Amino acid sequence: MNNNFTFEGKQKSILLSGIGLGIVCMVLTFFMGDHGAVRFWSNFLHNSVFFTGIAYTALFVIAAFTTAYAGWFIVIKRIWEAISLFLVVGLVLMMVIAVGLWMGYHDLYHWGIHGVADVNSETYDALIAGKSAFLNKGWYTFGTLAIVGSWIFFAQKLRSLSVAEDDYTVGDYGIHKKIKVWTAVFLPIGAFTSSAIIWLWVMSVDSHWYSTLYAWYATASWWVSCLCLTILIILYLKSKNYLQGVTVEHMHDLGKLTFAFSIFWTYLWFSQFMLIWYSNVGEETIYFRERMDNYPVLFWGNLALNFILPFFILMRNDTKRKMGSLAIAALVVLFGHWIDFFLMLKPGILHTQHYLPGNHGEAHHDAGGHEGAGHGAEHVSDAVAGFTMPGLLEIGTFIGFLCLFLFVVYTHISKASLLPKNDPYVEESLHHHS
Amino acid sequence: MAEFRSQEVLYGLYNDEEILMDAVKVANEKHLEIMEVFTPFPVHGLDPLLGLTESRLHIAGFIYGMIGTLTAFLFMTWVFTSDWPAVFGGKPYWSIPSFIPITFEVTVLFAAIGMVVSFYIVCGLGPGVNNPILDKRITDDKFCLAFQTNGASEEEIETLNKFFNDTNAEEVSTKII
């Protein structure tokens, strides 16, 4: 059994050319000439948030499973450790957004527009002024640094303890006890901080709107994406004759988790939708009005890709145990949740452009007021690539970020043994059957 | 029912699921015909060793669930569109989102009750049924491997006793049930 992954030159060059494709697409998007390079910046934010979140959930999964005394996942623990270390790159990517915010390079956030909390300013917005204690450039930068920084601290702590365990005497569980303490400490911190970071990064693109369920909904999206990517990475490594300890039983459990969390995501999606639909308050319904009117294909396609398909594909026992159907479901759902984040971000960002001084005269006069009433009509109702539909450049950017993500993950996977051989649960994991 | 006429049973009790699983593997190698295995909880990986085929109960459960879905959805559709149309919160009569939670609940209810009833019928369980038990501790902490010995020769009994001895059974007894 070969436990040491070698990151070969051929794999590196394939991933690097993928990153190159992403960079070319981003440069092309930047010089497309749309006002303020909205398309470029929103794509950058979209992919950065998506992959940073996947890295965060990998850390959370390790912490949750370790605290729950789970033993089955030990043979794939090193994959999640490697994924969680992408957080370092994620912090750099999000700091690019934060620097852009200070330098005025982009107008992704309505609250980031100059003078939005100043009564005498032309861009004054009463609602955002009320939220400006939290939604401001300082908090965005500090929150990103502090929160992602603390996640990086935990990810590296768990990783170094886990690697140190490899050289330990068998039967000495001192390191495992330390891992248990650190994961238990991380769970509440991770759970609360991820909500705050989602309010800052994602929900605040619709600056007037808010929803208490939103953070859970976005986290569930990250979680399912993380499971799908894990399945695909494991299947790739297995095809290269690594990870022979991972059997069909482990894949079955990952399939069950993907199935269960797809339903969990749908539950949260629907709960948010139904409460807003039922109470029918204009300030709240604008979120869905906007998406149903201007993004109908994505809005309903989102449900089809992330609920109906995984529900019916993964419901049966044998589809979770056959690697072909499992891989197809994982690919579809991973793409589906990327679309989900597209839908969370793009409409709000495009809407913000109406508030820019000189960009659409009437919008900033009625700040906070009747924007619910037919604002959607101002928008294009046709599909416009890059704005209401992901175009080829968006797909290219996605591939670029995916290759960067995989490059970082494979680099970390190659730095340690694939099997944590001194973990107390390693035998249980190797003999796992469900 | 004919299959419940009295049976002579030779059984061994094991202390741990892993020891029991190893014993089942040995029994399979020696082609001993296992009558039944009793465990206090479901032991993962035992079913394939015993050659049990996958249960079809979940297929029945899916069908019950779909019946539940249709019942709830069509009933609410009939009530709110033709039997007693009423306006709630300014919504249209046929408001699908408000039907979803109840449809979901009725689906779960039909699937759960249907599967329990099917399970009882298939197992022959019901009020007044008294199933003989080999040893009370198999509902607590013992794992039991049982052989039927109706008309078995001395030699065969000897083989079975030796098997229990070799596979570290804690206790071996016989019982007529």
Side-chain angles (χ1 to χ4, degrees):
Chain A
M1 193 156 42
N2 187 0
N3 283 329
N4 291 306
F5 173 70
T6 334
F7 195 10
E8 289 158 19
K10 193 182 152 209
Q11 293 162 328
K12 276 184 188 163
S13 45
I14 290 175
L15 289 179
L16 284 173
S17 50
I19 297 172
L21 173 73
I23 292 173
V24 169
C25 286
M26 281 160 72
V27 170
L28 279 176
T29 336
F30 190 77
F31 291 108
M32 284 286 277
D34 62 311
H35 186 78
V38 183
R39 186 173 175 184
F40 164 79
W41 281 103
S42 53
N43 288 348
F44 190 88
L45 177 68
H46 172 204
N47 289 290
S48 303
V49 165
F50 185 65
F51 286 105
T52 312
I54 289 177
Y56 156 76
T57 23
L59 178 59
F60 196 83
V61 169
I62 297 177
F65 285 175
T66 309
T67 311
Y69 292 86
W72 70 273
F73 76 106
I74 297 301
V75 287
I76 52 176
K77 191 179 164 198
R78 286 283 151 87
I79 312 285
W80 280 331
E81 282 172 5
I83 293 179
S84 72
L85 290 172
F86 179 79
L87 279 171
V88 181
V89 184
L91 180 62
V92 173
L93 293 173
M94 291 314 297
M95 286 321 286
V96 172
I97 302 278
V99 168
L101 199 58
W102 286 99
M103 308 295 282
Y105 291 155
H106 60 71
D107 302 300
L108 293 176
Y109 298 103
H110 186 185
W111 51 264
I113 297 172
H114 181 72
V116 77
D118 178 5
V119 190
N120 302 315
S121 161
E122 188 204 5
T123 51
Y124 176 70
D125 188 301
L127 275 181
I128 294 178
K131 297 181 183 185
S132 60
F134 180 66
L135 294 182
N136 58 57
K137 293 169 186 170
W139 244 107
Y140 191 89
T141 317
F142 170 76
T144 305
L145 273 176
I147 292 174
V148 184
S150 74
W151 296 348
I152 291 173
F153 168 76
F154 280 103
Q156 290 190 330
K157 190 85 200 165
L158 291 178
R159 169 70 166 189
S160 61
L161 281 172
S162 171
V163 171
E165 202 175 35
D166 279 358
D167 305 321
Y168 233 53
T169 337
V170 179
D172 188 335
Y173 300 139
I175 287 197
H176 184 71
K177 281 176 189 156
K178 279 187 196 161
I179 292 178
K180 284 201 87 86
V181 172
W182 282 108
T183 53
V185 171
F186 173 71
L187 278 180
I189 295 177
F192 284 110
T193 51
S194 65
S195 299
I197 212 78
I198 286 165
W199 300 330
L200 274 178
W201 289 354
V202 188
M203 197 170 83
S204 74
V205 297
D206 288 277
S207 301
H208 291 166
W209 182 87
Y210 66 89
S211 155
T212 17
L213 246 171
Y214 197 86
W216 271 45
Y217 154 64
T219 315
S221 206
W222 278 343
W223 191 312
V224 182
S225 322
C226 177
L227 288 166
C228 292
L229 254 179
T230 312
I231 290 174
L232 294 171
I233 290 175
I234 291 174
L235 288 179
Y236 174 73
L237 289 178
K238 275 183 78 69
S239 76
K240 296 281 169 195
N241 272 331
Y242 297 105
L243 286 175
Q244 292 310 307
V246 180
T247 63
V248 69
E249 307 288 345
H250 299 93
M251 302 314 287
H252 188 184
D253 275 0
L254 285 170
K256 282 183 215 166
L257 283 169
T258 311
F259 176 73
F261 277 95
S262 290
I263 293 170
F264 178 67
W265 173 88
T266 315
Y267 164 72
L268 294 173
W269 185 95
F270 181 74
S271 300
Q272 177 170 290
F273 176 79
M274 196 188 70
L275 290 179
I276 290 174
W277 171 83
Y278 221 114
S279 54
N280 204 13
V281 179
E283 289 97 73
E284 293 176 351
T285 50
I286 181 68
Y287 181 85
F288 287 109
R289 190 77 268 160
E290 175 79 25
R291 281 154 181 81
M292 288 164 95
D293 288 350
N294 297 314
Y295 304 79
V297 178
L298 290 188
F299 185 79
W300 300 111
N302 190 15
L303 277 182
L305 287 178
N306 293 330
F307 174 59
I308 297 172
L309 278 172
F311 184 76
F312 284 107
I313 294 179
L314 292 177
M315 178 154 51
R316 281 186 58 84
N317 200 33
D318 56 353
T319 48
K320 292 191 282 277
R321 297 178 76 90
K322 283 179 191 146
M323 293 312 121
S325 48
L326 188 63
I328 289 170
L331 261 178
V332 167
V333 176
L334 178 69
F335 184 69
H337 283 282
W338 182 78
I339 296 280
D340 188 31
F341 270 92
F342 184 94
L343 262 183
M344 288 183 213
L345 288 161
K346 281 269 174 158
I349 292 169
L350 292 188
H351 193 84
T352 296
Q353 307 313 311
H354 292 276
Y355 294 102
L356 293 175
N359 225 19
H360 230 281
E362 33 112 359
H364 54 262
H365 291 302
D366 57 359
H370 83 292
E371 60 150 309
H375 211 302
E378 285 184 10
H379 279 276
V380 274
S381 44
D382 310 317
V384 180
F387 296 98
T388 57
M389 277 297 257
L392 281 179
L393 288 173
E394 276 68 32
I395 304 288
T397 312
F398 173 58
I399 291 172
F401 272 84
L402 181 66
C403 289
L404 172 68
F405 180 86
L406 291 177
F407 193 89
V408 174
V409 171
Y410 285 142
T411 306
H412 287 297
I413 289 178
S414 68
K415 281 185 184 164
S417 163
L418 279 166
L419 185 73
K421 63 180 188 329
N422 287 338
D423 192 286
Y425 292 102
V426 72
E427 282 301 316
E428 178 180 335
S429 187
L430 285 169
H431 295 100
H432 177 59
H433 30 59
S434 54
Chain B
M1 280 181 261
E3 59 189 290
F4 286 134
R5 68 168 183 270
S6 73
Q7 306 178 88
E8 291 166 34
V9 179
L10 177 67
Y11 66 94
L13 295 178
Y14 293 88
N15 269 343
D16 190 88
E17 70 206 73
E18 294 296 330
I19 308 174
L20 172 88
M21 298 249 281
D22 291 339
V24 174
K25 281 175 201 160
V26 174
N28 285 343
E29 277 165 26
K30 294 190 172 173
H31 303 291
L32 302 175
E33 200 188 326
I34 298 170
M35 178 188 124
E36 190 64 278
V37 172
F38 300 97
T39 58
F41 51 81
V43 175
H44 289 306
L46 190 58
D47 286 16
L49 282 181
L50 292 172
L52 299 177
T53 49
E54 196 186 316
S55 162
R56 283 170 298 168
L57 193 61
H58 55 262
I59 297 172
F62 180 75
I63 294 166
Y64 298 138
M66 292 314 286
I67 294 172
T69 308
L70 289 174
T71 309
F73 198 84
L74 295 179
F75 181 70
M76 280 184 287
T77 301
W78 172 70
V79 169
F80 291 113
T81 56
S82 60
D83 181 53
W84 201 272
V87 175
F88 290 106
K91 299 287 187 284
Y93 292 135
W94 197 54
S95 310
I96 298 171
S98 62
F99 294 174
I100 300 274
I102 296 160
T103 308
F104 168 76
E105 301 290 354
V106 176
T107 307
V108 174
L109 183 77
F110 272 47
I113 292 180
M115 280 163 82
V116 168
V117 171
S118 303
F119 177 76
Y120 270 54
I121 292 171
V122 169
C123 295
L125 292 171
V129 171
N130 185 16
N131 277 331
I133 188 166
L134 287 175
D135 190 304
K136 279 181 181 165
R137 288 170 298 166
I138 62 173
T139 62
D140 180 18
D141 61 348
K142 294 289 180 200
F143 300 80
C144 172
L145 185 57
F147 295 101
Q148 194 179 349
T149 51
N150 291 34
S153 64
E154 286 283 317
E155 205 177 312
E156 281 165 337
I157 303 272
E158 191 52 42
T159 320
L160 293 177
N161 276 321
K162 187 172 176 303
F163 160 78
F164 281 128
N165 196 30
D166 292 347
T167 52
N168 299 320
E170 276 307 294
E171 291 169 33
V172 182
S173 338
T174 51
K175 199 165 189 175
I176 295 173
I177 54 172

